[in-house]
Amino acid sequence: MEFASALSSRDLLDLSGFKRLDSTTLASLSIAPSSVAKTHKGLATLPVRLSSPEPIFHYLFVKPHDPQYTPIINAHPNINGRSLFLSSIPFDTTVHHLRALFIAIGGGRIETVIFSDEPLPSRPIMPDEDQLIKNRKRKRSHHPDGTAQTAETLQWPPLWNRKLHAPDTTAVAVFVDHAAFELAVKAINSNSTDNPKNDYVWGSGIGKGNFIPELGKSRYEDHHVRMFPDPEWLQKFADDSLEKYDKRLKAEEETRRRKANEPDEDGFVTVVRSSRPRPPLSAEEIAERLKKEEKRAKKGYHPDFYRFQQRELKKEQAKKLLSQFEDAKRSLQERKGRKKP
Amino acid sequence: MSPIRQPIPKKRKLDESAAALPPHYDIPKPAALTTPLELDPLKSPNEAIADFIKLQKHSRKVVASVTEFAEQIKDTLSKTKTLRFSSLNEAEASFRRNKIQIPYLESTDDIHDGQEISFSSPIQIKMGAGLNHGLLLKSKDKPPLADLIVRIPPDLLRPKDYLEYRYTRKRALYLSYLALSLVQNTKGGDVSYFYEFLDGDELRPIVLITSLRRNCVLRLIPAITPNDFPLQKLSPSACRADRKIGIPTPQYNSSIIADAYHIENAELQRTAAISHSGFEGGIVLGSVWLSRQGYSSHILNGGFGDTEWILIQMHLVGAGDVPRLSSRQISSDPLQLFKSVLKVIANMGNGEPVSQHFPDPPGYSSKCYPPSYIRDGTSYNILFKMARWAYHALKREAHTVLSLGGIGISLRSQFKSIFLDTENRGYRDFDFVARLPIDNTNVAHQIIGSESTKRNIKRSTSDYCYDVLSYGLGDRCQSMTLFATLPTPQAVIGNSNGEISSCSRYNLDIYFLMDAKNAMRLMDHGPALENTNETAKFRNFWQDKAELRRFKDGRVVETVMWDPAPSVPGQIVNFLYQKITGGFSQNTPLLYGLGFDDFISRDLEANVDVHFSELISEFHMVANTIRGVDGFPLAFKEIRGTCPELRFASINPPFPCIQYLNCPYEAEIELESSSGWPSDPEQRRRSELGLLLRLRTVLHETKSFISLKVGFGHNTDDTQGSSFIDILTKNNYQFRFRFRSIQNDEFSTNNTRKNIHSITKITDLTLDPSISKSYQAKYNHANLILQKVKQNPFLSSTIRLVKIWFWTHHLGFYFTDEMLEIFGLVGFDLYSTGRGAGSAFCGFRRTINELSRWDWRRRYLEIESCRPFSDDEKLRLHQRPEYCQSYAGDSGYVGLSVAIAGDGGIIHCLTQIMPRLIAVRMTQLAREANTMLTNINTSPSDIFAPSMTYFDFLITLKPTFDPRKDLAKYVNLAIPPNRINTKLLYRDFLGDLEALAGHYILFLPSSDFSVIGCIWKPMGSGTGNSVPVIDEIQPPEKDHESDKIELYYNKPAILNMLKVLGEEYIDSIYNRL
C-alpha cells in the first residue's frame, strides 16, 4: 500500500456503524408541508419541492417588504408597495428561479430581485439633489479614501460562473407593479403549507433563453479556466487600469495644487504639502542635532587614513609653510624698507 | 501478582470525557485537562523545592508505624534459641524439614562439610539506613520499605569460609535459622515471609517481612563487620574463591565487603543526616531522579540506586570519619548537593581519580569501566554492582542534567526542567526500543568461561548483549539502557530443594538513544588493511557482512554496508541479535519506534530527502533566472519559498507534475522600494498584475521555461484574488510566484479558505519594547524550519509524521502548515529535553505528549528550540493568551497560541483560530495516542487509524488521480488546461461546502479530500440533534436591517444541497446508524 493512499483513508475506511444514504432514508427524514405551520412570527411559509427523486421540501418565509433600509431605498427609490421580502432562500436561487416560482403559483411578474449578498447599484443623483448636497457642505463625500474612484475603473472578471448564496442570505423581490405584488401575496397564501396540491418543483419552468450554468464538476473546472484569462485581454486590462490610475493621480495632484491657492466658499485654504522652506527648528530639535554632531565628533574623524589624504595633507602643509615663508619674507622686506629712509 | 505488592490503585483516566465519548454536541465545554505539576509561583524557589521534597517522604506517622514493627521483629529475633548441628548438611536438612527454603550458592568444596555448627541469636540488630533517622521515601505503587540489619555471630564463620564459597552458604543457613525462628514465634496472621536476593545478587539472599496491617515491608539483611575478617585479603584481583576455575572473583569478594559495611554505612548515614541540613533533601532528590530514569541498586536495573547515591553523598559531605571528597565547602542546599553528586557521576573515569583519597585499585583503570570508587584504606568499591551500560548511560544523563542548569538559568527553571518536566512528561525518553527474546541455553555458550556464568546469569547476559550491541552500533548510539524482568520474591515456607531457580527464557528490553547525525549512515568503516589484528577482529565480528573496499583516496579498509530500507539501526540490531543467540534463535526482536520511519517512506525511494533537494535546487534555478532578467522595472529584494515542500516539511515528497496541473509550489517575491506601492489595496492589486505581466514577458525572452501563465484568484480576504505567475520548468516542476503583500507580514493564511479558523495571527510578545522596535527581523517561518532541518536530520520526518497524524484524524484542515510544523518542533526543544530527537518516532512522541498536556485555554505552547525563555517571559506566557480572551465567549471558536523564543529577545506568537470542537478533539486524540504510545506493541497503523464513529455522516468523493502512479504513461509536454488534478478541484468544492453549509455542518476532510467527515453543529438549545419538527422551524424575525439572521435546520434540504453541489464528485454519503 502506498503511503499517500494510506493517508487518504479511503482504502481503510471503516464504515461499520454507517449506512449509505439512499432515497428512502432521505425521504424518511423529510418534513411534509402539512406538519409545518402556515405562518411564523408574521412571515408566511411557502414550501417548494426540491428537484430530487425524493419528496424533499424547502421552506421560504415571505412577507411584504417594508423598505426602511436606507441603502435599498437609495438604490431603488420606487419599490415601496411592490416588493416582497424573502428569507431562507435556497443556495442556488437566481432571479429566474423566483420568476418561475411566482409564475407557477399564480403570482405576479417580478421585475428584479435584490439579494442581500450582492452589492447595491449606485443611486442616480438628481439635479436638485446635487444642489442640496452643496448646500449641506458635504465637501468630502466624493472620495474620502480614494475608493470611490476604484468603482469607476474596470471590474475584475468573475472567477465563478454563478453566484451561490450563503444560508443567511435574504432577497427582496420587486414586482412590476402593485397589482402584481398583490397577486403574489394572494398566491403565497393559497399555496402555503396547508395546500396539498402545491407540487411546484424548484427550478422548473425557467425558460430556455435564461441560461443558468450547471453546478457540480463543471463549475469547478470552469473556475480553474477562469483563473487564467486570455493573456492579451489580461494585458489590456492591466494597461487600462494603470492608465486610469495614472490619470487619476495626475488629476488629484492638479486639484491639490489648485486648492492650495484657492480659498473655498468660507474663505479657508486647504493646507497641503508645498515646496516652501521649513519653519525654523525648535530648541529641542537643535539640541538633538547638536548631540548627534557631538557623537559624530566623539566617534572621531581620521583625516590621514588613506594615502591620498596623507598626500593632500602634506601638500597643504607645504603650501602653508610656503605661504608663511612668503609672508615672513614680505614683512622682512617691508621692515627693511622702513628702516632704509 | 507478587504477594508483597499491593493492588495498584486505580489510575485516574487521562481524559475521562474522551474515554466515554459522548456525542460531540454534548461537549460545549473543553475537556477537563489534567493540571501539570508546577512550582508555586508565590513561594521562593527554595521553599517550593522544600515542599517538593516533603511530598516525596512518608509522614512521621508511617515512619513510627514501621519503626514499631521493626522493634517487634527485633524483639523476636533477640529471643531466638540457639541451635547446634553436627554438619552443614544436617543443618540444611533440618531447615528443609521445617519447610524453610532459602537458596544459596552450592559450595564446590565439601571438605569442611563435617564441621560442627552452632546458630545463636544475632549479636547486634540495627535499623537500616533511612529508618534510623526517620526517612522513608515514597515509591510509586509500593508500600514503605525499610531495612533491619542483623549481625551474624563471628564464631559462626571461620577465616577460610570467607575465602571460599562457604560464606554464602553459611549466611543463607543463618538466614534460614532466623526465618524459622520468626515463623515459629510471630503472633497474628498478618505477617508473611518471602525471600529474594539483595539487589538481585544471587550470592546474598535476604528475607522480606511484610505486614498487611501496617502496609509495610522490612528487609532482613544478615551482615558482618570489617573486624570479623581482614578484608584486604579480598582484593578484587587477587583472591580466587573458585579454585577449580582459578580466576579472580571480584563479584564474590565485593559482596562480602559490602556485607561488612552495612552496619557502618547505616550509622554514617544517620550521622550525616543529623549534622548536614541538606543531606536528606539531596537523598530525596537523587532517589526521585534515579527512579524516574529507571535505575536502582538491583543488578538488572543498572546496579546504581539509592544506596550508591547515598554513599557518594556521604563522601561529599564527609560524614563521620569518611574523608571529604571535595576540598570545597559543600552547599547545604539540597539541589546543589544533588548537582554535586551528579558532577561526581559525570566525571567518573574521566582520566582523573575521583579524589586523591581514592586511588585506583590494581586491575582497575579510572579511564574506563568499571568505575572505581573505593573507600579509603579498604578494598570496598561502592560501585561494584554498576553495569557497563549503566556506567555510560548515567554519565550521559548526568551531563544532560548539568547542562540544563547552566549559568544564567534560574533556580526555578533548573528545578522545573530536571524534575517537574520529566514528571509531567511521564515517560522514558528513547529513540527506539528493541525487545530481545533471550533463551539462556542459546546465549550461555557465548559467555562460557566467565566465572559469573554460574550465578547472576541474567546480568551476565545483559552485559554480553551490551558489549555486542555497543560494538556493532558504534557511534550511531549515544547510550543504551537494558532492563530484564525482575524475579518476584518467593515464599520462605515451601517445598523446593533450595536451589536457585533461574528463568531460562525472558525478554530483554533495550532502550536506545541514538546520535541523530550518524544513526542512518549506510556505511561503517572498519580498520585499514594493514592493521591485521584489528582486521581479523572486525571480520570475526561482522563475518559475511564485512567487505574490503578501496576508496578514491587510495585507502583500503574493511567496511560494512547497510541497505537504505528498512531502517538501518533495525537491520543492525537484527543482525546482532542473531550473533548474540549464535544463530540458534528462530525469534526476531521486536523493534518499537523504527516502524514510524518506515511508515513515512513506505514504497518510496529510501532517501526521501532527495526529492525535496531536487525541488529546492530547481527553485533556486528559477529564482536565479528571475533575479537575472533584464528589463524589469524594479529590483528584487528577496525570493523565497512559502510552501512546505520547499522546507522539507510536506507530507508527501514533491514530484514533478507531468501532464497534469498539480498543486503548484507556492513562493513569493519581495521587491525593493515597496514603500512606493499605491496605498489603495485595489490599485495595488492591479499594479501587481501589471508587474507580473511584465515579468512574464521578460522571463519568456530567456526561454528557460516550458510555460509561463499569469492568473488570479484564491486570495485571502477578497473575492477577486491576488495575481500570480505560474512557471513550469523544463524538469516539470510548477511554481507559483506572488508578490509579497502587506497582509502577509501580519497574517499568514491558508490561501484556499476564507473562514475565520484559517487565520494565523503573528504577533510580538517581546517584553522589552526597545528590543521590539530596534530589532527589525520579522518572524520568518520558512527560514526557521529550514535552519532546524539542517541541524537535525529527523526534524523533517517528525514534522511529516505530525502532519500525517493530524490529517488522518481529519483535523489537518483546521491547522495551517506553519502551525503543524511548529508542533513538530516541540521534539527538538534543546532547553527542556536536553537533546534533540534521534528518531522520527521520538520527535513525534514528544509532540503528542506535549499536545496531550497542553491546556490551550490557559497558556501558550512554548517553543524553545532557539533559546530558553527567561523566568519573566515564562510568567507572561502562563497568562491566558490574548486571542483566547477574545474568543472565550460562546462563539464556538478558540485561539490556540504558540510562543517561539526568537533571537535577540524577541518572542513570536502565532495564534490560530479554530472551532472549539476541533481543539477539544485534538487534545482528546493526543491523550489517546499518548497512552497508546506507552505500549511497546503499538504499531504505527494503530496510532494513525481514524475513528469514524466521531462523525455524523461521511461524504466519500470519487478517487482522486495520483500522478505519481502512472509516471511512465506521460511524456514531457506542457500542461493542457483541462487536465487538472482532482485534488485541486476537490479543494474548491470543499470551499463551497464551507461557505454554503458551514453554518450547519463542520467538515473534516482527509488529506486528499476524498473522505469528508461531517458533524452537525449544535443549533440553539436542543434543536440541533434531531430532525426539525414544526415548532423547531424558526423563521427569521428581521430583514436586511439585521446583522444576524436566525437560521433553521432542514437536514434533508441541506443534504440535497450537498448532493447537487457535488454532482459527479460525490461517490456516496453514509449516515450514522
Side-chain angles (χ1 to χ4, degrees):
Chain A
M1 183 185 65
E2 194 183 332
F3 169 65
S5 60
L7 278 178
S8 75
S9 70
R10 226 189 129 75
D11 301 336
L12 302 170
L13 196 60
D14 177 17
L15 290 172
S16 54
F18 285 89
K19 192 188 171 190
R20 193 178 174 134
L21 193 72
D22 51 10
S23 319
T24 332
T25 320
L26 200 59
S28 68
L29 294 171
S30 182
I31 313 151
S34 55
S35 60
V36 179
K38 196 176 172 183
T39 57
H40 279 294
K41 298 185 180 177
L43 284 95
T45 314
L46 178 62
V48 284
R49 189 181 156 175
L50 299 176
S51 56
S52 68
E54 310 84 21
I56 299 170
F57 287 90
H58 183 90
Y59 298 94
L60 287 164
F61 297 97
V62 190
K63 70 173 183 181
H65 184 224
D66 180 16
Q68 292 167 354
Y69 184 49
T70 323
I72 292 183
I73 296 294
N74 284 345
H76 305 275
N78 303 317
I79 61 168
N80 206 356
R82 60 186 181 105
S83 57
L84 205 60
F85 171 75
L86 298 109
S87 81
S88 299
I89 56 169
F91 76 102
D92 57 347
T93 309
T94 61
V95 66
H96 306 299
H97 279 86
L98 290 177
R99 269 184 194 146
L101 167 70
F102 279 99
I103 286 167
I105 62 171
R109 195 164 183 280
I110 290 176
E111 182 186 294
T112 183
V113 177
I114 309 160
F115 291 102
S116 66
D117 58 351
E118 285 177 0
L120 291 165
S122 56
R123 184 188 181 188
I125 296 173
M126 307 298 174
D128 54 336
E129 272 185 325
D130 194 27
Q131 193 60 38
L132 195 70
I133 289 167
K134 274 186 182 173
N135 290 344
R136 284 179 190 167
K137 298 179 185 176
R138 294 171 67 180
K139 288 176 287 185
R140 294 187 186 89
S141 63
H142 285 289
H143 44 86
D145 52 5
T147 49
Q149 275 83 0
T150 56
E152 295 161 10
T153 54
L154 288 171
Q155 291 295 317
W156 290 79
L159 280 168
W160 299 96
N161 55 14
R162 184 175 168 186
K163 171 91 181 167
L164 299 178
H165 304 288
D168 56 353
T169 312
T170 57
V172 173
V174 182
F175 289 83
V176 287
D177 52 19
H178 185 70
F181 166 75
E182 291 284 341
L183 213 59
V185 172
K186 202 182 279 179
I188 290 162
N189 287 330
S190 60
N191 285 289
S192 190
T193 52
D194 54 351
N195 180 10
K197 288 178 187 172
N198 178 13
D199 56 353
Y200 172 73
V201 177
W202 180 254
S204 60
I206 298 172
K208 284 182 183 173
N210 302 317
F211 173 70
I212 300 173
E214 283 181 13
L215 294 174
K217 189 181 173 187
S218 59
R219 170 178 167 81
Y220 303 105
E221 286 181 348
D222 176 73
H223 170 66
H224 273 266
V225 174
R226 281 166 182 261
M227 279 168 65
F228 299 96
D230 176 48
E232 283 180 17
W233 183 92
L234 206 59
Q235 187 67 56
K236 193 173 175 301
F237 173 76
D239 290 347
D240 288 354
S241 298
L242 293 175
E243 210 171 291
K244 283 192 177 177
Y245 179 61
D246 281 349
K247 278 182 186 169
R248 200 182 92 198
L249 283 184
K250 276 181 190 167
E252 274 180 10
E253 183 64 22
E254 272 178 24
T255 320
R256 197 176 62 85
R257 284 187 187 284
R258 189 164 38 82
K259 280 191 177 175
N261 301 324
E262 284 178 13
D264 65 3
E265 289 168 354
D266 299 331
F268 290 103
V269 177
T270 316
V271 179
V272 292
R273 193 177 63 186
S274 71
S275 53
R276 277 185 301 176
R278 290 187 64 190
L281 296 174
S282 66
E284 287 94 345
E285 283 172 320
I286 290 168
E288 248 185 44
R289 280 197 176 185
L290 283 173
K291 265 187 187 176
K292 275 185 186 173
E293 279 174 9
E294 270 176 22
K295 266 189 184 176
R296 214 174 289 159
K298 271 183 191 172
K299 214 176 173 184
Y301 168 66
H302 305 287
D304 55 352
F305 184 79
Y306 295 107
R307 198 173 277 178
F308 79 90
Q309 284 178 321
Q310 290 173 2
R311 270 202 308 272
E312 281 176 1
L313 211 67
K314 277 181 188 171
K315 273 183 192 171
E316 276 176 16
Q317 281 175 347
K319 269 185 190 173
K320 205 177 170 185
L321 282 172
L322 199 68
S323 66
Q324 279 176 355
F325 175 69
E326 291 293 336
D327 285 352
K329 201 175 163 184
R330 211 182 304 126
S331 62
L332 197 68
Q333 280 177 352
E334 279 174 8
R335 277 183 202 165
K336 277 179 183 174
R338 275 180 213 160
K339 279 181 185 175
K340 272 181 184 175
Chain B
M1 195 178 72
S2 160
I4 63 159
R5 288 187 184 161
Q6 295 301 306
I8 297 166
K10 191 187 170 191
K11 283 183 186 172
R12 196 168 75 78
K13 281 177 187 167
L14 276 172
D15 183 14
E16 288 177 357
S17 62
L21 193 65
H24 27 259
Y25 342 94
D26 298 342
I27 318 173
K29 58 180 184 299
L33 298 166
T34 46
T35 317
L37 281 177
E38 291 291 342
L39 286 180
D40 189 345
L42 299 175
K43 290 186 177 174
S44 73
N46 284 328
E47 284 174 340
I49 293 170
D51 284 352
F52 176 82
I53 291 170
K54 201 176 167 187
L55 273 175
Q56 309 302 321
K57 296 194 285 191
H58 278 295
S59 65
R60 284 181 188 174
K61 197 177 163 188
V62 174
V63 175
S65 165
V66 176
T67 312
E68 194 185 334
F69 181 54
E71 289 293 347
Q72 276 180 18
I73 299 294
K74 218 169 145 181
D75 277 357
T76 316
L77 288 174
S78 59
K79 291 169 191 166
T80 315
K81 288 175 188 172
T82 306
L83 290 178
R84 283 187 187 11
F85 299 99
S86 59
S87 70
L88 292 180
N89 286 341
E90 191 196 332
E92 193 184 317
S94 166
F95 293 133
R96 205 170 289 168
R97 274 199 300 279
N98 286 299
K99 294 188 176 178
I100 299 293
Q101 49 150 9
I102 291 178
Y104 59 88
L105 190 77
E106 280 187 34
S107 169
T108 53
D109 189 358
D110 294 335
I111 302 166
H112 298 282
D113 268 355
Q115 66 181 245
E116 274 192 14
I117 188 163
S118 161
F119 295 104
S120 58
S121 61
I123 57 169
Q124 198 178 9
I125 305 172
K126 285 270 184 188
M127 298 283 184
L131 188 63
N132 59 1
H133 55 95
L135 172 70
L136 284 184
L137 293 174
K138 283 181 186 169
S139 179
K140 217 175 187 180
D141 308 331
K142 282 183 184 171
L145 181 77
D147 292 347
L148 203 60
I149 307 162
V150 287
R151 188 180 163 196
I152 306 171
D155 54 350
L156 187 73
L157 293 159
R158 298 177 185 183
K160 272 287 180 188
D161 291 342
Y162 293 102
L163 297 175
E164 293 163 2
Y165 281 124
R166 273 195 307 280
Y167 168 74
T168 54
R169 189 179 181 186
K170 284 190 174 178
R171 185 184 179 281
L173 288 174
Y174 188 69
L175 197 62
S176 303
Y177 157 73
L178 294 179
L180 180 65
S181 162
L182 284 170
V183 169
Q184 288 173 348
N185 298 321
T186 314
K187 291 168 191 172
D190 75 314
V191 183
S192 39
Y193 303 95
F194 302 91
Y195 76 83
E196 68 167 12
F197 299 102
L198 183 60
D199 297 334
D201 181 4
E202 290 175 3
L203 294 166
R204 296 187 291 166
I206 53 168
V207 167
L208 302 176
I209 309 162
T210 65
S211 168
L212 288 176
R213 186 166 60 85
R214 293 175 193 274
N215 187 29
C216 66
V217 181
L218 281 180
R219 299 198 303 177
L220 194 65
I221 304 172
I224 53 174
T225 63
N227 301 327
D228 294 348
F229 179 75
L231 295 173
Q232 286 80 0
K233 286 190 177 182
L234 293 167
S235 152
S237 59
C239 177
R240 290 168 175 80
D242 195 333
R243 289 179 185 173
K244 285 180 185 170
I245 296 175
I247 55 168
T249 51
Q251 180 79 20
Y252 171 78
N253 301 353
S254 300
S255 302
I256 298 175
I257 300 169
D259 272 355
Y261 283 99
H262 269 312
I263 295 170
E264 192 182 319
N265 284 344
E267 191 54 34
L268 282 174
Q269 184 177 329
R270 194 180 68 84
T271 321
I274 293 165
S275 61
H276 197 276
S277 59
F279 191 81
E280 274 194 9
I283 294 174
V284 172
L285 294 181
S287 173
V288 169
W289 185 74
L290 284 170
S291 63
R292 282 193 194 151
Q293 307 295 326
Y295 297 103
S296 80
S297 295
H298 200 286
I299 56 169
L300 294 179
N301 280 348
F304 189 98
D306 296 355
T307 319
E308 287 72 23
W309 182 280
I310 293 165
L311 287 171
I312 294 179
Q313 201 171 296
M314 280 195 317
H315 283 83
L316 280 171
V317 299
D321 60 342
V322 177
R324 185 178 286 165
L325 186 63
S326 169
S327 54
R328 285 184 299 173
Q329 185 65 37
I330 294 296
S331 168
S332 60
D333 177 42
L335 191 62
Q336 291 305 327
L337 192 56
F338 166 81
K339 284 167 77 177
S340 302
V341 179
L342 282 186
K343 276 178 197 159
V344 173
I345 295 171
N347 292 321
M348 277 189 307
N350 273 0
E352 294 171 12
V354 179
S355 158
Q356 55 180 355
H357 300 289
F358 310 117
D360 290 344
Y364 280 58
S365 166
S366 57
K367 287 182 182 171
C368 58
Y369 178 84
S372 57
Y373 202 85
I374 311 296
R375 273 287 290 275
D376 194 24
T378 70
S379 301
Y380 179 31
N381 180 10
I382 59 178
L383 302 179
F384 75 97
K385 282 185 293 176
M386 199 169 184
R388 266 193 287 280
W389 63 264
Y391 167 69
H392 293 292
L394 253 178
K395 268 173 72 100
R396 208 198 138 275
E397 298 280 0
H399 274 296
T400 308
V401 171
L402 290 171
S403 70
L404 289 176
I407 299 165
I409 299 174
S410 70
L411 194 63
R412 189 182 287 273
S413 296
Q414 286 179 36
F415 186 75
K416 187 174 174 296
S417 55
I418 298 169
F419 291 99
L420 302 189
D421 286 351
T422 48
E423 175 68 19
N424 291 336
R425 215 172 288 139
Y427 65 89
R428 163 179 288 278
D429 196 30
F430 60 84
D431 291 326
F432 74 96
V433 183
R435 174 166 281 179
L436 308 183
I438 298 288
D439 188 344
N440 279 339
T441 50
N442 291 337
V443 183
H445 74 277
Q446 308 275 344
I447 48 177
I448 268 177
S450 163
E451 63 88 24
S452 56
T453 47
K454 289 183 186 173
R455 65 195 80 86
N456 298 335
I457 194 156
K458 273 191 182 177
R459 164 64 181 271
S460 307
T461 310
S462 296
D463 283 350
Y464 175 66
C465 290
Y466 174 74
D467 290 346
V468 173
L469 287 168
S470 59
Y471 183 83
L473 286 166
D475 61 352
R476 291 170 197 275
C477 179
Q478 284 184 345
S479 76
M480 281 178 244
T481 33
L482 289 80
F483 296 105
T485 322
L486 300 185
T488 50
Q490 302 291 319
V492 164
I493 300 168
N495 287 320
S496 80
N497 55 7
E499 285 179 4
I500 298 169
S501 62
S502 58
C503 179
S504 66
R505 286 183 184 183
Y506 61 96
N507 287 327
L508 182 66
D509 289 345
I510 307 175
Y511 294 77
F512 291 90
L513 286 181
M514 303 303 283
D515 183 276
K517 288 192 177 143
N518 298 325
M520 294 295 173
R521 193 181 52 217
L522 293 181
M523 187 187 281
D524 284 330
H525 293 256
L529 187 63
E530 300 82 45
N531 194 345
T532 46
N533 285 343
E534 290 295 316
T535 309
K537 267 189 200 171
F538 190 83
R539 283 210 157 264
N540 186 40
F541 187 85
W542 291 111
Q543 294 173 350
D544 295 346
K545 289 294 283 182
E547 292 171 5
L548 208 58
R549 279 175 194 266
R550 183 189 295 275
F551 289 90
K552 281 181 182 172
D553 57 359
R555 287 180 305 138
V556 182
V557 292
E558 291 282 353
T559 55
V560 179
M561 192 74 188
W562 302 99
D563 294 333
S567 181
V568 177
Q571 292 177 55
I572 300 177
V573 171
N574 276 321
F575 175 83
L576 297 175
Y577 174 69
Q578 290 305 323
K579 188 171 178 60
I580 287 166
T581 56
F584 294 115
S585 177
Q586 299 297 317
N587 299 320
T588 49
L590 170 73
L591 299 172
Y592 176 56
L594 293 176
F596 287 77
D597 285 312
D598 299 335
F599 188 73
I600 48 173
S601 55
R602 190 180 295 174
D603 281 1
L604 299 169
E605 285 85 346
N607 195 355
V608 176
D609 286 353
V610 172
H611 300 291
F612 287 106
S613 304
E614 276 175 11
L615 175 75
I616 289 171
S617 66
E618 192 76 2
F619 173 71
H620 286 314
M621 185 275 288
V622 176
N624 287 336
T625 314
I626 292 175
R627 280 194 197 97
V629 292
D630 292 329
F632 192 73
L634 294 172
F636 299 98
K637 191 175 180 184
E638 198 176 352
I639 299 172
R640 66 175 85 83
T642 50
C643 66
E645 284 85 357
L646 286 169
R647 48 180 186 261
F648 294 88
S650 64
I651 291 182
N652 282 317
F655 283 88
C657 44
I658 297 173
Q659 277 281 322
Y660 267 80
L661 177 64
N662 210 345
C663 300
Y665 304 114
E666 293 267 349
E668 62 181 18
I669 300 172
E670 194 175 349
L671 297 172
E672 292 282 5
S673 66
S674 54
S675 58
W677 288 101
S679 54
D680 175 13
E682 176 58 32
Q683 198 54 52
R684 184 190 167 100
R685 223 169 283 145
R686 287 164 195 249
S687 305
E688 281 177 4
L689 176 66
L691 283 170
L692 283 173
L693 287 166
R694 179 71 193 151
L695 183 64
R696 190 194 60 173
T697 312
V698 291
L699 283 175
H700 186 70
E701 286 164 8
T702 63
K703 294 181 180 170
S704 308
F705 307 109
I706 293 177
S707 83
L708 294 153
K709 290 199 293 184
V710 174
F712 62 94
H714 284 324
N715 196 21
T716 52
D717 54 352
D718 65 317
T719 50
Q720 296 303 337
S722 68
S723 313
F724 54 80
I725 181 166
D726 278 0
I727 298 174
L728 181 67
T729 66
K730 286 177 180 169
N731 290 329
N732 287 296
Y733 287 103
Q734 189 174 9
F735 296 97
R736 177 164 291 178
F737 286 89
R738 298 171 195 269
F739 287 119
R740 185 182 173 148
S741 63
I742 297 167
Q743 294 98 315
N744 287 356
D745 288 346
E746 285 190 1
F747 288 92
S748 158
T749 56
N750 188 319
N751 54 17
T752 57
R753 284 167 265 151
K754 297 162 191 170
N755 290 341
I756 191 167
H757 60 69
S758 64
I759 296 172
T760 306
K761 189 175 177 6
I762 301 170
T763 48
D764 184 9
L765 275 181
T766 313
L767 291 179
D768 187 354
S770 63
I771 294 175
S772 185
K773 277 179 190 168
S774 62
Y775 194 78
Q776 292 300 315
K778 295 274 180 200
Y779 171 69
N780 191 336
H781 178 76
N783 271 1
L784 175 73
I785 296 292
L786 261 179
Q787 183 196 342
K788 293 289 161 196
V789 163
K790 280 175 191 163
Q791 284 171 6
N792 195 306
F794 290 102
L795 176 59
S796 169
S797 40
T798 300
I799 288 175
R800 291 168 63 208
L801 275 179
V802 171
K803 285 187 174 179
I804 292 165
W805 186 79
F806 271 88
W807 277 106
T808 50
H809 290 288
H810 294 246
L811 298 177
F813 186 63
Y814 292 91
F815 292 84
T816 54
D817 279 317
E818 283 89 342
M819 205 67 171
L820 296 182
E821 285 158 25
I822 289 167
F823 288 161
L825 267 181
V826 167
F828 298 84
D829 268 5
L830 300 178
Y831 299 94
S832 58
T833 56
R835 65 180 275 277
S839 68
F841 164 78
C842 180
F844 173 70
R845 188 185 185 182
R846 284 180 183 179
T847 299
I848 291 295
N849 183 267
E850 188 65 33
L851 290 180
S852 69
R853 294 185 290 118
W854 180 27
D855 187 353
W856 34 263
R857 297 168 302 173
R858 296 198 178 86
R859 68 176 178 95
Y860 293 83
L861 186 73
E862 295 163 18
I863 305 292
E864 297 180 309
S865 55
C866 297
R867 67 171 177 89
F869 284 111
S870 69
D871 278 4
D872 291 343
E873 287 171 341
K874 283 205 170 180
L875 203 65
R876 179 155 180 199
L877 294 176
H878 274 76
Q879 291 168 0
R880 201 176 190 194
E882 177 196 339
Y883 256 64
C884 275
Q885 287 172 13
S886 5
Y887 287 87
D890 54 2
S891 62
Y893 284 90
V894 289
L896 268 61
S897 295
V898 176
I900 304 161
D903 296 332
I906 290 271
I907 305 173
H908 302 291
C909 170
L910 270 77
T911 302
Q912 175 128 34
I913 312 300
M914 66 181 62
R916 182 186 293 264
L917 207 65
I918 299 293
V920 173
R921 179 74 179 151
M922 178 194 78
T923 307
Q924 286 173 348
L925 286 170
R927 286 177 181 181
E928 284 169 20
N930 193 38
T931 315
M932 286 164 82
L933 285 169
T934 55
N935 184 357
I936 204 165
N937 293 316
T938 305
S939 75
S941 47
D942 296 338
I943 300 288
F944 295 105
S947 166
M948 290 296 164
T949 51
Y950 187 67
F951 305 118
D952 286 330
F953 64 99
L954 299 172
I955 303 172
T956 57
L957 304 184
K958 287 177 180 165
T960 52
F961 172 79
D962 190 346
R964 281 180 301 246
K965 284 186 176 171
D966 305 301
L967 281 181
K969 278 170 63 177
Y970 304 104
V971 287
N972 185 358
L973 288 173
I975 301 165
N978 57 346
R979 289 197 153 176
I980 304 162
N981 187 346
T982 38
K983 191 180 168 183
L984 283 172
L985 301 172
Y986 283 180
R987 203 165 61 180
D988 292 329
F989 168 56
L990 198 70
D992 263 357
L993 289 187
E994 278 266 296
L996 301 175
H999 196 87
Y1000 309 105
I1001 303 166
L1002 202 64
F1003 295 99
L1004 293 98
S1006 62
S1007 66
D1008 62 351
F1009 305 109
S1010 66
V1011 179
I1012 305 172
C1014 305
I1015 296 170
W1016 291 107
K1017 283 185 180 175
M1019 295 283 282
S1021 53
T1023 57
N1025 201 6
S1026 57
V1027 179
V1029 291
I1030 183 164
D1031 293 332
E1032 288 175 353
I1033 298 181
Q1034 297 294 328
E1037 290 179 337
K1038 295 174 182 175
D1039 62 2
H1040 282 300
E1041 292 166 26
S1042 165
D1043 289 329
K1044 281 179 83 176
I1045 298 291
E1046 193 181 346
L1047 299 168
Y1048 72 95
Y1049 258 62
N1050 188 351
K1051 284 184 184 178
I1054 295 166
L1055 289 171
N1056 188 62
M1057 177 182 81
L1058 301 184
K1059 276 188 166 181
V1060 172
L1061 209 57
E1063 208 177 338
E1064 292 185 73
Y1065 279 172
I1066 292 182
D1067 190 18
S1068 37
I1069 298 178
Y1070 294 92
N1071 209 19
R1072 194 164 64 175
L1073 290 172

